[in-house]
């Protein structure tokens, strides 16, 4: 490489770093805008979901009483007395609550909606800046920017935000994800620039392959989508607990009610998490197969029982069990959510734990 080309690559690396830090600043502004959205949205009518649940139970009880015939008792001398139908208490089956989705973080308020739109706009701007930083990093090393954990991390958060924005553009009800997403992206980028940063450099010989573009890109995309599915599962657990409290006649705290009553219903969050995980699972299967083919080309064996390979397969098994349980055993609700979160925890361990704590043929962390 000529000195001029080396200087140009170094300048591109500096530009990439500047863009990544700039995106963090814009994400921080989006974070505060989301906080304002939730704050002003809390001024909406609290207890909308509670009213819906209570109304459904009362209307159901009234309907049952009206449909049930009165009980007539014949006494001595032919006299009769009319008694009320005994009150029957029924319990809804798990996942069978007929609860509408909440109004969203803005809570139906004008100010909340304004800050929500500002937050989405800032998130989109930060996404563009971060994506430009990833592209500048790729140009500085003249290869796919996925050769170490720093590059993987900045690309991962970019893809996660991109998936969120695409879902919003498709009019999907994912506005509730904004604050959680921006918070975790800031955490991801903070870890990347603080502990995972690696200077621009060329790949180790084993990674010089077109399979880098195929295998690693699909792994990043799958991880980003799995993350969104896991976020849905976490919020499902909170919302389901909230609905259960209301159904049992207990009154949650004011803050808890203000936040959780604006989320989609537990049934909607459960369905969302399942659909997201089911949609990306075939691609994760392809990721493992592509990695095996690449391993055969690079090391002469398709499977080497490397820690990265083993935990990728463990993650595949965990998600396969989750989808199988949903499809055949009828697992819905909390058990399915716990299994989905366990599967995503396997993916997280495969990324951070295996890369940093374990050694193997995939030891390209660069930290």
């Amino acid at each position: 490489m000529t000195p001029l080309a080396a200087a140009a690559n170094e300048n591109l690396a500096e530009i990439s770093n500047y863009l990544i830090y700039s995106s963090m600043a814009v994400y921080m502004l989006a974070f505060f805008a989301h906080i304002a959205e939730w704050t002003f949205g809390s001024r909406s009518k609290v207890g909308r979901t509670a009213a819906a649940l209570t109304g459904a139970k009362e209307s159901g009880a009234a309907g049952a009483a009206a449909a049930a015939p009165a009980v007539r008792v014949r006494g001595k001398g032919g006299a009769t007395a009319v008694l009320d139908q005994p009150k029957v208490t029924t319990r809804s089956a798990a996942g069978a609550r007929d609860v509408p989705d909440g109004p969203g973080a803005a809570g139906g308020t004008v100010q909340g909606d304004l800050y929500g739109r500002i937050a989405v706009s800032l998130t989109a701007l930060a996404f563009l800046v971060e994506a430009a930083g990833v592209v500048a990093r790729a140009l500085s090393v003249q290869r796919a920017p996925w050769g170490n954990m720093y590059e993987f991390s900045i690309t991962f958060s970019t893809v996660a935000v991109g998936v969120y924005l695409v879902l919003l553009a498709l009019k999907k009800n994912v506005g509730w994800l904004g604050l959680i997403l921006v918070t975790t992206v800031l955490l991801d980028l903070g870890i990347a620039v603080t502990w995972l940063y690696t200077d621009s450099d060329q790949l180790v010989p084993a990674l010089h392959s077109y399979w880098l573009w195929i295998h690693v890109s699909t792994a990043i995309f799958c991880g980003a989508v799995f993350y969104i599915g896991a976020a849905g599962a976490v919020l499902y657990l909170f919302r389901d607990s909230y609905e259960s409290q209301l159904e049992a006649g207990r009154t949650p705290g004011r803050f808890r009610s203000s936040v959780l009553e604006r989320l989609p219903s537990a049934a909607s969050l459960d369905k969302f998490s399942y659909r997201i995980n089911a949609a990306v699972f075939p691609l994760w299967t392809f990721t493992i197969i592509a990695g095996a083919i690449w391993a055969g080309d690079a090391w002469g064996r398709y499977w080497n029982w490397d820690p990265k390979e083993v935990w990728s397969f463990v993650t595949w098994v965990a998600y396969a069990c989750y989808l199988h349980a949903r499809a055949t055993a009828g697992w819905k609700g909390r058990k399915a959510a716990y299994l989905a979160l366990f599967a995503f925890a396997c993916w997280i361990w495969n990324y951070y734990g295996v890369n940093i704590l374990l050694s193997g043929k995939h030891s390209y962390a660069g930290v």
Side-chain angles (χ1 to χ4, degrees):
M1 182 181 296
T2 64
L4 183 61
N9 291 342
E10 185 176 348
N11 290 335
L12 285 171
E14 292 179 358
I15 292 173
S16 173
N17 295 340
Y18 173 77
L19 290 172
I20 295 300
Y21 278 103
S22 297
S23 71
M24 292 177 67
V26 183
Y27 278 128
M28 184 62 69
L29 294 177
F31 171 80
F32 287 119
H34 276 299
I35 291 293
E37 177 188 18
W38 281 94
T39 300
F40 286 104
S42 67
R43 298 180 181 180
S44 64
K45 183 180 179 181
V46 177
R48 185 179 290 103
T49 305
L53 277 174
T54 304
K57 291 173 67 178
E58 291 178 349
S59 62
V71 178
R72 293 180 178 275
V73 179
R74 185 175 297 279
K76 295 181 178 180
T80 60
V82 179
L83 303 179
D84 292 334
Q85 177 81 357
K87 185 177 294 185
V88 178
T89 302
T90 60
R91 185 179 299 274
S92 299
R97 303 187 192 99
D98 185 15
V99 182
D101 291 337
T109 64
V110 175
Q111 281 184 308
D113 182 68
L114 173 62
Y115 282 107
R117 293 175 183 273
I118 293 174
V120 172
S121 299
L122 289 171
T123 302
L125 175 60
F127 164 77
L128 294 175
V129 175
E130 186 182 9
V134 173
V135 172
R137 177 77 176 196
L139 294 175
S140 71
V141 292
Q142 299 180 0
R143 57 168 173 78
W146 311 315
N148 50 62
M149 287 187 70
Y150 170 75
E151 296 172 354
F152 192 103
S153 293
I154 62 176
T155 307
F156 169 84
S157 56
T158 304
V159 174
V161 176
V163 172
Y164 165 71
L165 294 175
V166 168
L167 291 175
L168 282 179
L170 295 176
K171 307 298 183 182
K172 302 298 181 181
N173 182 18
V174 294
W176 47 268
L177 183 60
L179 179 59
I180 297 176
L181 176 68
V182 170
T183 303
T184 50
V185 164
L186 283 170
L187 178 63
D188 173 74
L189 292 177
I191 293 174
V193 300
T194 304
W195 291 294
L196 303 180
Y197 180 78
T198 304
D199 290 331
S200 299
D201 200 358
Q202 294 303 310
L203 296 171
V204 296
L207 294 182
H208 283 286
S209 172
Y210 61 88
W211 282 106
L212 176 67
W213 292 92
I214 301 172
H215 172 65
V216 183
S217 63
T218 54
I220 292 173
F221 180 79
C222 289
V225 178
F226 281 147
Y227 158 75
I228 291 177
V234 169
L235 290 182
Y236 160 79
L237 292 173
F238 284 104
R239 174 72 187 207
D240 181 68
S241 175
Y242 171 71
E243 291 181 8
S244 296
Q245 281 189 296
L246 294 178
E247 193 175 34
R250 298 192 297 271
T251 303
R254 184 174 181 180
F255 176 78
R256 179 181 172 87
S257 297
S258 174
V259 172
L260 296 180
E261 65 108 19
R262 285 178 275 167
L263 293 176
S265 67
S268 295
L269 289 170
D270 182 47
K271 186 183 300 182
F272 171 81
S273 180
Y274 170 67
R275 289 179 173 177
I276 285 289
N277 290 323
V280 78
F281 179 74
L283 190 59
W284 181 247
T285 304
F286 170 78
T287 301
I288 296 177
I289 295 173
I293 297 173
W294 188 9
D297 290 343
W299 302 316
R301 292 180 59 185
Y302 293 108
W303 191 262
N304 298 275
W305 294 105
D306 183 75
K308 177 69 71 173
E309 296 173 346
V310 171
W311 278 99
S312 295
F313 181 67
V314 170
T315 303
W316 183 91
V317 171
Y319 275 109
C321 290
Y322 163 73
L323 297 176
H324 180 73
R326 290 282 308 229
T328 60
W331 273 28
K332 293 183 179 180
R334 303 188 73 84
K335 292 188 294 184
Y338 289 136
L339 189 51
L341 291 177
F342 171 76
F344 183 68
C346 291
W347 192 93
I348 289 293
W349 166 255
N350 191 28
Y351 177 51
Y352 285 105
V354 172
N355 283 346
I356 296 175
L357 302 178
L358 304 180
S359 60
K361 292 180 178 295
H362 288 79
S363 298
Y364 308 128
V367 295

